[in-house]
Amino acid sequence: MSSATTDEGAPLPEGRYHDRELSWLAFNNRVLDLARDAGRVPLLERARFLAIFSSNLDEYFMVRVAGLKRRIAAGLAMPGTSGILPRDLHEVILARVRELTDLQADVLTEDVRPSLAAEGIRIIGWTDLTDAEHEDMARLFEERIYPILTPLAVDPAHPFPYISGLSVNIAVLIRNPANGHRQFARIKVPTNVPRFTELGDGRFLPIEEIIGHQLDTLFSGMDVLGWTTFRVTRNQDLEVEEDDAENLLVALEKELLRRKLGRPPVRLEVERGIPDELLDVLVSELDIAASEVFHLPAPLDLTGLFQVAGAADREDLEYPAFLPKTHPDLAEVETAQPADLFKALHERDVLLQHPYDSFATSVQRFIEQAAADPAVLAIKQTLYRTSGDSPIVDALAEAAASGKQVLVVVEIMARFDEQANIRWARKLERAGCHVVYGMLGLKTHAKLCLVVRDEPDGLKRYAHIGTGNYNPKTARQYEDMGLLTSNPIITEDVGRVFNTLSGMTLNKAYRRLLVAPHGVRKGLLGQIEGEIEHARAGRPTGIRIKVNSIVDEAIVDGLYRASQAGVPVDLLVRGICTVRPGVPGLSENIRVRSILGRFLEHSRLFWFAGGGTPHVGLGSADMMHRNLDRRVEVLVQLPHERHERRVRELFDLAFDEGTASWWLDDTRWTMRTAAEDGTPLRDLQEHFINSLGARRAEVR
């Protein structure tokens, strides 16, 4: 790894980056910390965090570990920026995952599951049923499960079946009583029936328990010697070659079909106590290494805990109900009805923070009002991920049907949402929208909406620039920020971005926006260098950044140089962080915190002291290579001091020692939830919920 140098020529040290894959595992460990936190996290929410941990790990193996294995298979032996060779890193990852999944199993079996049982919510097994319930389950099996099962035996005429990724399967050892021949058989647990059968009185029975105890019906005439469950994780990352000769939509549909047909396994989960004979068959047929096999207690696939938590119907064991409120600048005081948003935006720009500010009565209403307003001539919109029954998609379709010019930039290669986005693209095209898929080689990740309205004094543009997807469902679960504005400089910039996306122009001149792939890294590095100059001149200086992940070496090195120059740097990072704070001579002036909780911290915010004139912005980009080099991303500089103050206050609270958070020291994270005297520290998200009234009074 080459070394960087400071302006004075002193090299930055080798090994200055933490490994991104190991940093991600540290993030998932923080998720697991929430599942363990009985003092602050309600019981059913702890069960949900166990499910989130599992879901996160599934995607990590499907994408990150799969990519690492591809590099190993291709013979790429060069170490990453952390200096670890790919093969060594793979071994370290597997060992660390084994530690974490063992810890997760302990949290479930020794803590969460017994605590649920004490509250009358029990995940039970077959032996916990009464004789009458055994009969009921046998009848349920015969009527609702048996008809959809496909038992597959392996013999010379029946090769080992394809095992789909992430499915729960039953491995069965059977014997032919006529000749004593032993065979392996596999049954896929159906995914179109509930993962757990609800028996009433808060009891949940895994469906594989029902199937496993009815195997004599499936293999009549054979001796069932034993059975167990297993689960395979496969490489699920997309590989689509983009060129001018083939429509990207068609190419993606073909690749999705290939994804279904087979990708190499990267992990095998088996039930503890699996018979050696069955394990040997799985390892051999799946061609998987012993180090990639994880022995876990039943039930496998703890994402099923989402169903248990949702069906338990115990509000006393969940986070208190929270109803987002309409931002005061978007509500009529006299009538308590939603305001005319265009009239409101004539008076002032509005800085939104979801879920505390309602998405439905702000961003969603902005688009719906534009679609219904006869004075609106055009709507331009980016869609990266949206919900299943999206009112935004419906509004755009209705706008096009009414004669408005509607441009929708649909990112059909949004990972794991590709199939859904193809459906939205087809629906919008049929409705008459102009649908484009961005630019070749770049994903469109920017969160933008532009409305053009015919008003008495001429055409006027309105825009929304955000940090989160236009998804009404996740807007209630994710913390995001956005700017609604009629500022002519900003709206003109947004119009230029859309022209670039739809017209293949190469516009790089923006006045209030930083636009990737050409402008975000360059612009932020310029801001960082500016803070270094302010520090040398004795002017007010400081850098504060809130992102999901920070990996980009140029940005990290810039922050190291700022720290060396005496600039205080605060990084609020939810996920991956390759920065190593607190290293003598390198990063003594860098503080890194992480906040996780009931809402997923998703906003990206940037604050630079500017020598006393702060530069503050928000946008869609994380500090990662993919965001800065391979995506269209947009950051906007906030134009009003009151909005700058709001962002500064958020950072002040997040870094206050009275706020619960995780602190990073070099590469080690420490959870801090209580003061030295045991007093619980402030929960930042609960603080925002509880302070809504006071904030709204100030905003007005």
Side-chain angles (χ1 to χ4, degrees), residues 175-339:
R175 180 177 59 198
N176 187 328
N179 57 22
H181 180 66
R182 300 158 73 96
Q183 291 177 261
F184 173 92
R186 172 257 190 169
I187 304 164
K188 180 179 178 179
V189 174
T191 56
N192 54 357
V193 297
R195 178 76 174 81
F196 291 92
T197 298
E198 298 179 40
L199 300 175
D201 298 327
R203 293 180 301 152
F204 297 85
L205 179 69
I207 186 176
E208 60 267 26
E209 285 282 301
I210 302 174
I211 299 171
H213 287 86
Q214 304 299 320
L215 292 176
D216 288 338
T217 302
L218 286 165
F219 299 101
S220 59
M222 304 291 283
D223 295 331
V224 176
L225 303 181
W227 65 275
T228 190
T229 55
F230 70 96
R231 186 170 180 259
V232 175
T233 309
R234 294 184 177 276
N235 171 4
Q236 290 288 315
D237 206 9
L238 283 175
E239 297 173 359
V240 177
E241 293 294 331
E242 301 178 64
D243 56 53
D244 296 323
E246 185 175 21
N247 181 279
L248 179 59
L249 199 63
V250 175
L252 181 59
E253 288 173 328
K254 291 180 179 178
E255 176 59 23
L256 288 171
L257 178 60
R258 284 195 291 270
R259 174 193 278 183
K260 292 180 180 179
L261 293 178
R263 292 293 186 92
V266 293
R267 177 180 60 163
L268 172 63
E269 297 168 279
V270 298
E271 191 175 331
R272 286 178 181 170
I274 181 174
D276 290 342
E277 190 171 351
L278 290 177
L279 180 60
D280 290 344
V281 171
L282 292 173
V283 169
S284 174
E285 295 290 349
L286 292 170
D287 190 23
I288 198 163
S291 60
E292 297 172 302
V293 180
F294 294 83
H295 296 254
L296 302 169
L300 300 182
D301 186 13
L302 293 184
T303 60
L305 290 174
F306 283 126
Q307 179 195 343
V308 174
D313 193 24
R314 290 284 301 275
E315 293 184 0
D316 59 314
L317 302 179
E318 300 179 309
Y319 285 123
F322 165 67
L323 182 64
K325 303 292 181 60
T326 298
H327 192 288
D329 287 344
L330 302 178
E332 297 289 354
V333 176
E334 294 82 2
T335 63
Q337 296 297 317

Side-chain angles (χ1 to χ4, degrees), residues 41-83:
V41 183
L43 181 56
L44 287 179
E45 306 297 348
R46 296 172 62 203
R48 289 190 175 99
F49 281 120
L50 287 173
I52 292 170
F53 174 91
S54 291
S55 178
N56 288 348
L57 203 56
D58 288 345
E59 182 173 340
Y60 178 71
F61 269 91
M62 288 189 293
V63 178
R64 300 303 308 175
V65 177
L68 183 61
K69 287 195 68 175
R70 282 200 303 271
R71 293 197 294 276
I72 294 171
L76 300 178
M78 291 294 293
T81 57
S82 64

